[in-house]
Amino acid sequence: MSLKSPQDIELKKLIYHYPFNPYRHYPFLKKGQKKEAMYLKIMNYLKNEGKSLKIKHHGKKGLVIVRKLSWDSNFFNIPMGAIEAIFPEEDNESLISAIFDEALSWFEINGIKHITFKVDTADIKTILITQKKGFYLIDTLCTYLYAKNYTEAKPIKRLFELRPFQPEDLEAVIGIVEYAFKYHRNRFMNDPHLSKTSMLELYKAWIRNFINQGYLIIAERKGNIAGFLGYFRLPELCNLTGKLHVGHVLTAVGPKGMGAHAQFIAYLGNAPFYPDTVEGTASISNTIAQNIWIKIVRTRIIRTQYVFHLFTGC
């Protein structure tokens, strides 16, 4: 079943009435826009290996969005997938459990062995059911928002030139990835079922995705590349507002990059790309990143999520 038809009013209603909409704390979106942003995000999932599964349980409806993660699978050599969202008609434990069963059955049929599910920290009932289904907590994420005219950035001394990536920068940037992420604690590193070497290769490929599909900014000083910050367009928000909204931020600095991270964050809305908003997500355990966002940008927290994994065997 597909949600691509705008006439599918019943299913769109489930999405629109979801109480834990990830855009509900956005300061620049009106109430209707927040619902439409969620709907557009689901449409984007369905265009990228996603599938919508509808269930009916004791007269109540539910919807779950599942997706194969082919890109991730190639690195970890495990068939991987994700539950991207669940939409129960009401906050009923039996209904939510049935939605999970439908999703897990789909993953089993499609041979997917490793499943990721991110759930809003306020959605207590879903969190408890997630654990009952065998998922294990692997990380907690906090998402911050820089927004022009809403966020006041603290000016700091500019120690580095911030400029767009050039092809000749690639070797130095890959070196910074190896330096910064070799022992970086994140959900991939924390999961005993995933290869740490594969995790590093995934980050290197992430850089190439920034180059080909997103934006990559370099911090340079005296001819030396000290760090980078990359992000991608958020199509659901860009299409909704006609402005440049970016997210999925990845930033790192090398051994000579002290101060570069703070400068990246302090001048998020400036050159070279001038985005209108920037979403930055950090693990709750990454106190350095959190403190920089809070201290430098005086940011808004717009989203907090628990990240669960489920490994069903080789």
Side-chain angles (χ1 to χ4, degrees), residues 223-292:
N224 296 312
I225 294 175
F228 66 84
L229 181 141
Y231 44 61
F232 297 101
R233 290 178 72 255
L234 298 175
E236 64 277 8
L237 294 179
C238 295
N239 295 340
L240 191 62
T241 69
K243 297 182 178 181
L244 179 57
H245 304 279
V246 299
H248 307 294
V249 170
L250 183 68
T251 182
V253 299
K256 296 182 179 180
M258 183 175 294
H261 193 173
Q263 188 174 331
F264 278 132
I265 302 304
Y267 297 101
L268 281 171
N270 291 22
F273 301 118
Y274 300 97
D276 291 279
T277 67
V278 183
E279 279 191 20
T281 299
S283 170
I284 198 72
S285 63
N286 190 348
T287 54
I288 294 176
Q290 289 187 64
N291 287 334
I292 289 175

Side-chain angles (χ1 to χ4, degrees), residues 103-148:
L104 294 176
S105 176
W106 184 86
F107 287 123
E108 183 178 9
I109 291 170
N110 286 275
I112 294 172
K113 305 296 184 182
H114 189 281
I115 304 161
T116 297
F117 179 45
K118 297 176 183 176
V119 57
D120 194 289
T121 57
D123 191 357
I124 301 300
K125 193 162 289 184
T126 300
I127 291 166
L128 295 175
I129 295 170
T130 302
Q131 293 172 308
K132 287 180 181 179
K133 296 297 181 181
F135 285 77
Y136 46 93
L137 180 65
I138 206 72
D139 205 350
T140 304
L141 303 178
C142 188
T143 300
Y144 304 97
L145 181 71
Y146 162 84
K148 285 181 181 177

Side-chain angles (χ1 to χ4, degrees), residues 48-290:
N48 291 278
E49 298 190 277
K51 186 174 178 62
S52 60
L53 307 174
K54 180 183 176 182
I55 74 156
K56 203 166 189 178
H57 181 73
H58 298 317
K60 297 297 181 181
K61 302 180 184 67
L63 176 70
V64 58
I65 307 300
V66 293
R67 193 160 66 103
K68 294 180 180 179
L69 299 177
S70 298
W71 191 74
D72 305 63
S73 303
N74 290 336
F75 290 98
F76 293 105
N77 200 29
I78 298 172
M80 303 177 81
I83 299 175
E84 297 293 5
I86 66 167
F87 301 104
E89 187 176 16
E90 63 179 35
D91 190 24
N92 176 279
E93 182 173 345
S94 178
L95 175 60
I96 296 171
S97 181
I99 293 173
F100 267 98
D101 290 340
E102 183 73 14
L104 294 176
S105 176
W106 184 86
F107 287 123
E108 183 178 9
I109 291 170
N110 286 275
I112 294 172
K113 305 296 184 182
H114 189 281
I115 304 161
T116 297
F117 179 45
K118 297 176 183 176
V119 57
D120 194 289
T121 57
D123 191 357
I124 301 300
K125 193 162 289 184
T126 300
I127 291 166
L128 295 175
I129 295 170
T130 302
Q131 293 172 308
K132 287 180 181 179
K133 296 297 181 181
F135 285 77
Y136 46 93
L137 180 65
I138 206 72
D139 205 350
T140 304
L141 303 178
C142 188
T143 300
Y144 304 97
L145 181 71
Y146 162 84
K148 285 181 181 177
N149 303 321
Y150 287 94
T151 309
E152 181 186 358
K154 179 182 178 181
I156 66 170
K157 187 176 181 180
R158 299 177 187 244
L159 300 174
F160 302 89
E161 176 194 357
L162 304 186
R163 60 167 177 81
F165 170 86
Q166 299 297 326
E168 59 269 23
D169 301 329
L170 182 59
E171 183 178 351
V173 170
I174 294 299
I176 291 173
V177 169
E178 294 174 341
Y179 170 82
F181 293 111
K182 186 174 183 179
Y183 301 108
H184 180 60
R185 304 304 306 184
N186 55 37
R187 66 186 182 92
F188 301 116
M189 175 69 81
N190 293 336
D191 193 324
H193 304 292
L194 299 180
S195 162
K196 309 307 178 278
T197 302
S198 298
M199 178 200 70
L200 202 55
E201 294 305 311
L202 180 143
Y203 277 114
K204 292 177 184 178
W206 203 345
I207 295 297
R208 293 182 173 89
N209 283 351
F210 283 137
I211 296 168
N212 296 326
Q213 304 169 26
Y215 304 83
L216 187 59
I217 304 169
I218 300 298
E220 184 177 9
R221 186 180 185 186
K222 297 180 180 179
N224 296 312
I225 294 175
F228 66 84
L229 181 141
Y231 44 61
F232 297 101
R233 290 178 72 255
L234 298 175
E236 64 277 8
L237 294 179
C238 295
N239 295 340
L240 191 62
T241 69
K243 297 182 178 181
L244 179 57
H245 304 279
V246 299
H248 307 294
V249 170
L250 183 68
T251 182
V253 299
K256 296 182 179 180
M258 183 175 294
H261 193 173
Q263 188 174 331
F264 278 132
I265 302 304
Y267 297 101
L268 281 171
N270 291 22
F273 301 118
Y274 300 97
D276 291 279
T277 67
V278 183
E279 279 191 20
T281 299
S283 170
I284 198 72
S285 63
N286 190 348
T287 54
I288 294 176
Q290 289 187 64

